[in-house]
Amino acid sequence: MPIKTEAVEKYEVVIGLEIHVELLTKSKMFCGCRVSFGAEPNTNVCPVCLGMPGSLPVVNKRAVEYTIKAGLALNSKIALHNQFHRKNYFYPDMPKDYQISQYDKPLCIGGYLDVNVSGDTRRIGITRVHLEEDTGKMIHQSETGRIAGADYSLVDFNRAGTPLMEIVSEPDIRTPEEARAFMQKLRRLIVSIGVSDCNMEEGSMRCDANISLRPRGEATFGVKSEIKNMNSFRALQRALEYEIERQKNLILAGEKVLQETRHWNAAKNTTTSMRSKEEAHDYRYFPDPDLVPMDLDEAWVNNIRAGLPELPAARKERFIRDFGLSTYDADFMASSTAMGDFFEASVKLLAEPKTVGNWMMGELSAHLNAAATDIEQSPVSPKQLTDLIKLINEGRISGKMAKEVFEEMFVGGKDPQALIEEKGLAQISDESAIAGFVDKAIEANPMVVAEYKAGKKQAIGFLVGQIMKASRGQANPKLVNEILQKKLQ
Ligand code: ADP
Ligand code: MG
Ligand code: ZN
């Protein structure tokens, strides 16, 4: 343990992410083939995406539009003049032996995304957002599905040429948690502008994490490793945690961290070396002679900007301004389109933003998390939630009962009113009924009453407890207190 603490204080973690997002266009990046997931292998292909000699690429305008949208949402500068390059390397999933990508003239430059981690807001810089094409998919015939030990491999080119947007972050991230928060926020942002479904299991959002350590206070970065194959937020965080330990142990043992690409093995909870990392010059980037540089019309870009939906950051500000929410609450409510829509629909039905927010962050989120589901699939609607809150406000049920009712609403999807009637749960707010309970409690506990009258005021708590018990928790506690005090005077 002492070694660990010392190391944590002595070294700073530096993380930068490269995120690939498949765009939701109907057709591919440079040809008219349909983009599909799960189709019969090699059915959505043509000479262009199969890389046949003599075929010519044509840029998909929609993909450019989507990437500009993402760039604007990330506060990037849109480069009206930009260009496609060839990135040369060999792999069987890419028959051209080069990937069309962007190099020194990307579509979007700079930008940032603010993330909240344990109460702090951190601004993570965006280096660039560019456009490229996806490769085909290899299916290795081995028990693990990995290439090691495979007898042979099959290639499916359906994915080849799918528009792929790459978002590169600055090395501004400092903890695995922050990396996860960044990814989650980015995912919600991209989904909210409608350019990708960012489905991590299906691979439409993929992330490579670059990580290094350096002595605290040191200006230059340490040697980094790049981790691949993390297909969930949890995997990203765990892989980075593992990698910090591995690099730290190397450094403490006086060894060197090698610049390499590593593979995350979720089953074994480790990263393993894949290859030593190539440098940019290994790829022999050069401008694709089949594609002239793009010169975009500024009016078109402005049009795209004007057509953007309200972004989460703006929605958050509006929630603070219009509903008086705290920064924390507003951030939560604006965290996804669906969350914000649920909140706004609820507030329309009941103008109590703070109470609605508390129920959403409390009971509703807890139940959604436990059921591993999203707010889109919430079995409780804004109408049902606000009806429940109204029943509390009217004194018909207590806050405690409301939580029980909520539980049942969540499981069975029933309305709160119906559940209360069905279960005979309604809070007793009838004064004569409560007076009856009070009289019985006073009669049954003469000693306690005497103590109270002799000045031991806290004795009243015992009587309240007895009354609540006798009413099976249904008596309105406020009325119980009022009536009891009156009768004891
Ligand atoms: P490469 O040429 O190896 O791909 P880049 O300079 O393009 O490296 O950076 C790729 C990603 O790695 C970016 O997200 C960047 O922020 C991050 N990065 C760069 N250097 C480091 C480092 N020393 N430690 C951690 N991350 C880094
Ligand atoms: Mg890179
Ligand atoms: Zn094609």
Side-chain angles (χ1 to χ4, degrees):
M1 284 320 257
I3 290 181
K4 206 170 170 179
T5 323
E6 181 210 331
V8 165
E9 283 167 3
K10 216 166 149 197
Y11 293 98
E12 182 180 41
V13 176
V14 174
I15 299 168
L17 302 178
E18 294 167 282
I19 296 121
H20 287 93
V21 171
E22 279 179 1
L23 297 174
L24 275 178
T25 54
K26 290 202 182 68
S27 58
K28 292 188 181 179
M29 187 63 230
F30 298 110
C31 63
C33 291
R34 204 159 59 81
V35 170
S36 65
F37 181 82
E40 177 81 6
N42 298 308
T43 50
N44 294 315
V45 290
C46 75
V48 173
C49 54
L50 287 175
M52 305 244 173
S55 64
L56 286 173
V58 176
V59 174
N60 181 332
K61 188 175 176 187
R62 188 47 64 82
V64 177
E65 179 192 329
Y66 281 2
T67 304
I68 291 173
K69 273 190 170 179
L72 291 172
L74 288 165
N75 311 290
S76 305
K77 182 177 162 292
I78 308 303
L80 295 178
H81 179 80
N82 62 87
Q83 191 165 22
F84 285 103
H85 275 66
R86 290 187 181 179
K87 179 181 181 178
N88 300 279
Y89 68 95
F90 166 82
Y91 207 66
D93 62 8
M94 197 182 60
K96 295 198 298 289
D97 285 351
Y98 61 83
Q99 176 193 29
I100 305 178
S101 181
Q102 294 196 296
Y103 182 53
D104 56 356
K105 289 180 182 159
L107 189 45
C108 316
I109 301 163
Y112 60 86
L113 183 65
D114 290 335
V115 297
N116 294 316
V117 183
S118 37
D120 283 342
T121 302
R122 292 216 54 233
R123 177 159 291 186
I124 309 300
I126 301 293
T127 312
R128 56 193 274 150
V129 183
H130 74 239
L131 200 45
E132 57 189 34
E133 56 177 342
D134 210 345
T135 59
K137 213 179 239 169
M138 303 274 290
I139 299 136
H140 305 300
Q141 301 298 306
S142 68
E143 242 167 65
T144 56
R146 293 203 57 203
I147 194 164
D151 292 330
Y152 59 93
S153 300
L154 302 167
V155 197
D156 174 9
F157 288 111
N158 281 348
R159 197 181 69 179
T162 297
L164 205 56
M165 172 171 77
E166 178 170 345
I167 300 160
V168 182
S169 91
E170 287 288 298
D172 289 346
I173 299 167
R174 291 292 170 267
T175 64
E177 252 179 297
E178 225 169 88
R180 179 187 185 142
F182 176 86
M183 272 291 276
Q184 286 173 325
K185 188 134 188 197
L186 181 68
R187 179 177 187 276
R188 289 191 297 250
L189 183 65
I190 301 294
V191 170
S192 77
I193 57 172
V195 306
S196 174
D197 57 16
C198 292
N199 185 327
M200 291 182 79
E201 289 97 70
E202 289 182 1
S204 62
M205 184 184 209
R206 313 194 282 271
C207 166
D208 301 334
N210 298 267
I211 176 166
S212 64
L213 301 186
R214 65 175 167 186
R216 230 166 250 288
E218 174 81 50
T220 50
F221 290 135
V223 174
K224 69 180 165 76
S225 57
E226 180 173 348
I227 320 169
K228 293 194 178 285
N229 188 46
M230 298 156 298
N231 58 5
S232 68
F233 299 119
R234 201 174 119 80
L236 169 67
Q237 187 172 348
R238 282 170 61 215
L240 287 170
E241 280 162 0
Y242 172 85
E243 196 56 21
I244 290 171
E245 285 300 307
R246 190 188 70 85
Q247 292 190 11
K248 204 168 66 189
N249 289 337
L250 281 175
I251 295 169
L252 289 176
E255 290 171 44
K256 281 210 163 72
V257 175
L258 299 176
Q259 169 149 330
E260 61 185 352
T261 304
R262 300 182 68 86
H263 178 96
W264 169 244
N265 185 329
K268 291 199 180 133
N269 231 329
T270 57
T271 63
T272 47
S273 179
M274 282 169 80
R275 56 174 184 262
S276 68
K277 170 76 185 177
E278 52 291 292
E279 306 277 346
H281 62 248
D282 293 330
Y283 291 120
R284 300 289 188 273
Y285 278 98
F286 67 88
D288 192 316
D290 291 338
L291 290 158
V292 293
M294 280 200 286
D295 280 294
L296 306 177
D297 182 6
E298 192 165 7
W300 182 58
V301 174
N302 287 337
N303 245 333
I304 296 172
R305 191 192 309 268
L308 277 177
E310 184 184 35
L311 299 173
R315 199 175 204 186
K316 171 183 162 185
E317 291 309 317
R318 183 164 60 79
F319 285 174
I320 295 173
R321 202 173 57 235
D322 292 359
F323 299 121
L325 293 187
S326 68
T327 309
Y328 181 88
D329 291 7
D331 201 60
F332 185 96
M333 297 310 146
S335 62
S336 72
T337 308
M339 187 70 80
D341 290 350
F342 191 105
F343 174 69
E344 292 205 71
S346 301
V347 173
K348 256 195 201 120
L349 296 166
L350 177 68
E352 294 184 28
K354 180 72 196 156
T355 315
V356 167
N358 285 343
W359 273 89
M360 285 177 64
M361 291 186 290
E363 268 351 80
L364 181 59
S365 289
H367 281 81
L368 291 172
N369 286 344
T373 181
D374 289 331
I375 189 123
E376 284 98 323
Q377 274 84 47
S378 171
V380 175
S381 67
K383 168 97 171 65
Q384 289 171 317
L385 177 64
T386 49
D387 280 351
L388 180 69
I389 300 172
K390 284 179 191 166
L391 289 169
I392 309 172
N393 290 351
E394 289 161 10
R396 303 265 311 278
I397 53 171
S398 67
K400 189 161 169 277
M401 283 178 206
K403 287 190 179 172
E404 278 170 42
V405 174
F406 184 87
E407 173 100 45
E408 305 233 350
M409 285 162 67
F410 195 90
V411 175
K414 281 195 186 158
D415 292 337
Q417 183 76 44
L419 277 166
I420 288 170
E421 279 159 20
E422 203 173 282
K423 296 171 63 81
L425 255 182
Q427 176 164 277
I428 301 167
S429 290
D430 175 47
E431 294 198 20
S432 62
I434 291 178
F437 285 116
V438 171
D439 288 339
K440 276 199 195 108
I442 291 177
E443 218 179 283
N445 300 285
M447 300 269 281
V448 182
V449 172
E451 275 175 24
Y452 176 82
K453 288 190 170 159
K456 195 178 163 198
K457 294 296 173 205
Q458 65 268 39
I460 200 168
F462 177 80
L463 296 173
V464 171
Q466 294 300 304
I467 294 161
M468 292 309 290
K469 207 164 141 193
S471 73
R472 291 179 21 238
Q474 285 171 249
N476 179 330
K478 199 165 149 259
L479 281 177
V480 168
N481 264 298
E482 276 171 25
I483 294 171
L484 184 58
Q485 287 199 13
K486 216 183 287 168
K487 290 206 183 244
L488 286 175
Q489 257 155 31

